[in-house]
Amino acid sequence: MLSLVIILLIVTIVIICRWYLSYVHSSLYWCWDNGNEEKRIFIDTDNISFPENFLWGTAAASYQCEGPGDKVPVASNWSQWEPAGIKHGQRCGMAVDHYHRYKEDTQLMRTLGCNAYRFSLAWDKIEPIEGQYDKDILAHYHDELKELHRQSIIPMITFHHFVHPLWFEQRSAFLNSSNIETFVRFVIDMFREFEDECHMWCTINEPEVYVSGGYFNGVFPPGHKSQANEASLVLQHLLQAHVEIYDNIKKIARQPEQHSIGIVKDIFQFDPWNPLNPLDIYASRILDHGMNGCILDFFRTGSLKWTMPGSIHRTYVNLRAPYTNDFIGLNYYSHFLIRFNLFKQPPFEILHRQDDSGSSLMTDMPYALYPEGLYRACVRLKNELPRIPIYITENGIADRYDDRRHLFLRRYLYALSRAINEAHCDIRGYFYWSLIDNFEWAEGYHMKFGLYHVDLQTQERTLRDGAKYFQYVIQKHREKYEKKNL
C-alpha cells in the first residue's frame, strides 16, 4: 500500500512539474511559425497598428557615429580605453563621419519616413577643458537641430551616453560624489543653450549598463572587474544626478510644461534556465533586481535598495524620484537565461535557448531574437511605473549578412503593437538602433546594426534590404491616418 502511495505521489509530482514547465514556456514564448512545427502555426505580423501621433525614429550616440569633426580629436574616457579595450584592437577614429554628413543622414531618415531622431551631445567635444565650452561645436549642434526641424524631424537629446571628457574620468567620474554637481552644471548649461530647439530630453542612457560594463565586466572604461561596491555607488550617483537634472530643468525652463524629461532604462530579462531549479531561480532574481528591479523601485518608491551576495547592501532615499520622469525611455534587445554554476566566478552562466528554430534566430552580438521580451518589458514598466508614458528609445539587431533583420523588425514591431493594443501600454514612439552602422563600443565595427550599410573606406550609405520592412510599416501607418483624416 505504501509503495502505491509513493508511486502515485511521484506520478503526481511529475505531472505537476510538466504542467508547470508547459505553463512557464507558454507564458515566455509565443508560437511563431518557424517552419519546423508538426502543426503549422501562423502569427500574422502584418496585423499591427499604432497611435496616430506615434513617433518613428532612429537613435544614435555622438561618439559612435560623429568622428572628431573639424578639430584634433579630444580625449575622453573612451578614446583612452582604445584600442586595448576594443575587440580586434580597433579605434573609433572617424567613425562614420556623421559630424560632416548630418544633412545627408537626416535626408536618409526622411527617406525612411521617420519623424524623430534621438542623439547625444558630445560632452567630450563640447567641454574638452573643464569650464571651457567650444563655441564651434555648439554652433554645429545648432546647425544640426535646424536641419532636423527643416526636414520635419523631432529631436530627442541625450545628455550622457557612456562618454565624457577625460578630465572628468581622471577625477573618478561618477564614482566621486563631488562630480555630480559638475555633470549637472554641464547639463543645465546645455539645456539653456538648446532650450528653444529641443523639447525632449534623456538624462542618462542605461545607467545599469554603464555600471556593469565599467565595474563588473570590465569591458567599458574604467575597466574595473567585479567591483560590486563601486558599482552600487556609481549607480546611486547616476540616479541622484537624474533627479537633480529633472528638478533644475523644470525650475529654469521658460515653459517647463513644454519639455519632457526622462531617463533611459535598458531591460534585459533574467530568466531561470530551469524554472524548477531553486538555484537558477535565485540567481536570476538577484541579477534582475540588481540590473532592473532596484532602479524601477527607486522611481516608484523613492528608495534604492541594492543588494548583491558578497558586497555591501546600499540604500539611498530620495522621495523626489517618483516625480522625475515625464516619460521612460526603454531600450530593449533580448533576454538572458541564467544557470547557477558553483564552479564559476561569479557563480552563474548565461545561456541561450536551443529550439527547433536553430542558431539562425541568434543575432551577431550574440543575443537571441526574443520579441516576446519587448512585450514583457513594456508591460512591466506599465505595471511598476503606471501613468508614465514609454518611448522605445532603442531596439535593433546586429546582423552582418542582413539575413535576419527583416524577421527581427516584423516580430518586434508585432510585439510592440500587441503591447499597445492588447496590454494598453502607453507607448508613444519607436526609435530603431541605428540609422547607419557605427562603432559599437567594445565590439568595434564588427557589429552591423544600421538600417543603412556604411562602407568605412568611402563612407557611402546603402539601404539594407532587411530595413525595407521598417520603411513599409511607417508608410502604411502614415497612409492609414491620411485616409482617416480626409
Side-chain angles (χ1 to χ4, degrees):
M1 185 64 181
L2 181 60
S3 299
L4 180 60
V5 171
I6 293 174
I7 291 172
L8 288 173
L9 181 61
I10 292 173
V11 169
T12 302
I13 291 173
V14 169
I15 291 173
I16 292 173
C17 288
R18 286 178 64 86
W19 172 83
Y20 179 70
L21 288 174
S22 176
Y23 169 78
V24 169
H25 186 277
S26 65
S27 67
L28 297 182
Y29 301 100
W30 297 343
C31 294
W32 300 102
D33 178 3
N34 293 314
N36 296 321
E37 295 85 358
E38 292 182 8
K39 181 179 179 181
R40 299 284 287 184
I41 301 168
F42 182 69
I43 292 178
D44 183 5
T45 53
D46 283 328
N47 183 23
I48 57 177
S49 64
F50 300 90
E52 181 172 3
N53 296 320
F54 201 71
L55 293 186
W56 295 101
T58 60
S62 58
Y63 189 81
Q64 293 178 269
C65 66
E66 283 185 351
D70 296 317
K71 301 188 177 183
V72 175
V74 297
S76 70
N77 57 326
W78 271 91
S79 66
Q80 184 190 47
W81 184 243
E82 303 164 5
I86 311 300
K87 288 185 178 179
H88 310 289
Q90 293 178 326
R91 290 185 183 275
C92 182
M94 284 297 295
V96 289
D97 199 22
H98 176 73
Y99 187 93
H100 292 111
R101 295 173 175 263
Y102 69 88
K103 290 185 178 180
E104 173 188 348
D105 292 340
T106 304
Q107 181 57 51
L108 296 181
M109 298 176 207
R110 290 299 301 164
T111 300
L112 288 171
C114 294
N115 61 357
Y117 177 50
R118 175 185 171 229
F119 67 101
S120 68
L121 299 176
W123 184 11
D124 53 322
K125 292 202 286 280
I126 292 172
E127 193 179 6
I129 300 173
E130 185 178 5
Q132 298 181 25
Y133 293 149
D134 189 316
K135 294 182 179 179
D136 293 335
I137 301 298
L138 292 175
H140 164 81
Y141 283 119
H142 281 294
D143 290 341
E144 184 167 1
L145 284 162
K146 288 176 184 175
E147 181 65 17
L148 289 168
H149 287 298
R150 188 183 73 80
Q151 298 206 40
S152 301
I153 292 178
I154 297 170
M156 175 186 278
I157 286 178
T158 304
F159 292 117
H160 189 276
H161 198 131
F162 298 161
V163 180
H164 44 248
L166 183 59
W167 58 261
F168 188 76
E169 182 72 14
Q170 290 172 338
R171 285 169 35 183
S172 298
F174 293 102
L175 188 59
N176 185 341
S177 62
S178 65
N179 289 335
I180 298 174
E181 181 180 355
T182 301
F183 174 56
V184 173
R185 180 264 305 160
F186 166 77
V187 170
I188 297 308
D189 287 347
M190 291 306 100
F191 174 79
R192 286 192 172 106
E193 182 77 24
F194 301 108
E195 178 179 3
D196 295 332
E197 297 160 279
C198 182
H199 296 96
M200 300 181 71
W201 310 89
C202 302
T203 55
I204 297 163
N205 181 76
E206 300 179 347
E208 75 292 341
V209 174
Y210 175 87
V211 165
S212 63
Y215 299 90
F216 272 117
N217 303 326
V219 297
F220 281 15
H224 298 180
K225 292 187 177 182
S226 302
Q227 298 298 315
N229 293 336
E230 288 186 354
S232 62
L233 185 59
V234 170
L235 179 61
Q236 174 188 320
H237 290 161
L238 288 169
L239 297 179
Q240 182 179 342
H242 165 83
V243 173
E244 293 187 18
I245 289 167
Y246 182 94
D247 284 344
N248 275 279
I249 287 179
K250 292 296 185 178
K251 286 178 183 177
I252 68 171
R254 292 189 294 273
Q255 295 178 298
E257 70 283 353
Q258 289 190 359
H259 294 275
S260 294
I261 307 163
I263 199 165
V264 173
K265 176 73 184 77
D266 169 272
I267 290 182
F268 267 80
Q269 291 95 4
F270 295 88
D271 295 321
W273 172 254
N274 181 352
L276 295 176
N277 185 333
L279 293 176
D280 290 358
I281 295 172
Y282 173 74
S284 63
R285 288 183 177 176
I286 287 291
L287 289 168
D288 179 78
H289 180 75
M291 294 291 286
N292 298 315
C294 68
I295 298 174
L296 299 182
D297 286 347
F298 176 70
F299 288 117
R300 186 177 69 255
T301 68
S303 178
L304 173 70
K305 295 180 179 179
W306 194 91
T307 61
M308 188 69 68
S311 68
I312 64 172
H313 292 212
R314 188 174 302 280
T315 300
Y316 167 66
V317 176
N318 190 323
L319 298 181
R320 282 286 306 139
Y323 310 100
T324 59
N325 283 296
D326 299 317
F327 66 88
I328 291 289
L330 171 60
N331 292 356
Y332 188 83
Y333 293 93
S334 186
H335 72 151
F336 293 132
L337 297 178
I338 306 301
R339 182 165 68 186
F340 182 84
N341 189 332
L342 189 60
F343 300 102
K344 287 187 172 289
Q345 187 57 39
F348 66 87
E349 53 189 336
I350 295 175
L351 303 172
H352 301 287
R353 174 174 172 255
Q354 296 296 318
D355 62 8
D356 56 7
S357 303
S359 60
S360 64
L361 290 188
M362 293 293 292
T363 78
D364 295 344
M365 282 300 283
Y367 302 147
L369 261 73
Y370 186 59
E372 298 93 327
L374 177 57
Y375 175 91
R376 290 173 58 193
C378 292
V379 171
R380 180 174 186 177
L381 287 180
K382 174 198 170 187
N383 292 338
E384 297 193 30
L385 298 174
R387 296 179 297 281
I388 299 181
I390 302 166
Y391 289 92
I392 308 303
T393 39
E394 287 183 30
N395 176 243
I397 179 174
D399 181 13
R400 171 180 292 273
Y401 299 109
D402 196 35
D403 55 5
R404 290 147 290 170
R405 187 170 280 105
H406 184 273
L407 182 65
F408 176 94
L409 285 164
R410 292 189 75 94
R411 292 189 174 181
Y412 277 73
L413 291 177
Y414 170 80
L416 184 62
S417 177
R418 280 188 61 172
I420 294 170
N421 297 301
E422 294 184 15
H424 306 293
C425 298
D426 184 5
I427 303 168
R428 302 188 179 182
Y430 174 90
F431 294 77
Y432 179 87
W433 182 274
S434 183
L435 176 72
I436 51 181
D437 292 336
N438 55 33
F439 183 78
E440 190 52 43
W441 305 118
E443 301 293 334
Y445 286 108
H446 288 263
M447 296 299 167
K448 306 298 184 181
F449 278 90
L451 296 171
Y452 285 85
H453 165 70
V454 178
D455 185 315
L456 292 177
Q457 299 300 318
T458 65
Q459 294 292 346
E460 181 180 358
R461 278 88 159 125
T462 306
L463 182 64
R464 287 193 163 98
D465 287 340
K468 293 177 181 177
Y469 182 72
F470 186 54
Q471 188 177 35
Y472 165 80
V473 169
I474 298 174
Q475 180 182 354
K476 290 298 181 183
H477 176 266
R478 180 170 291 115
E479 289 175 354
K480 172 185 174 181
Y481 288 105
E482 285 175 351
K483 291 178 181 177
K484 176 182 175 182
N485 294 325
L486 285 178

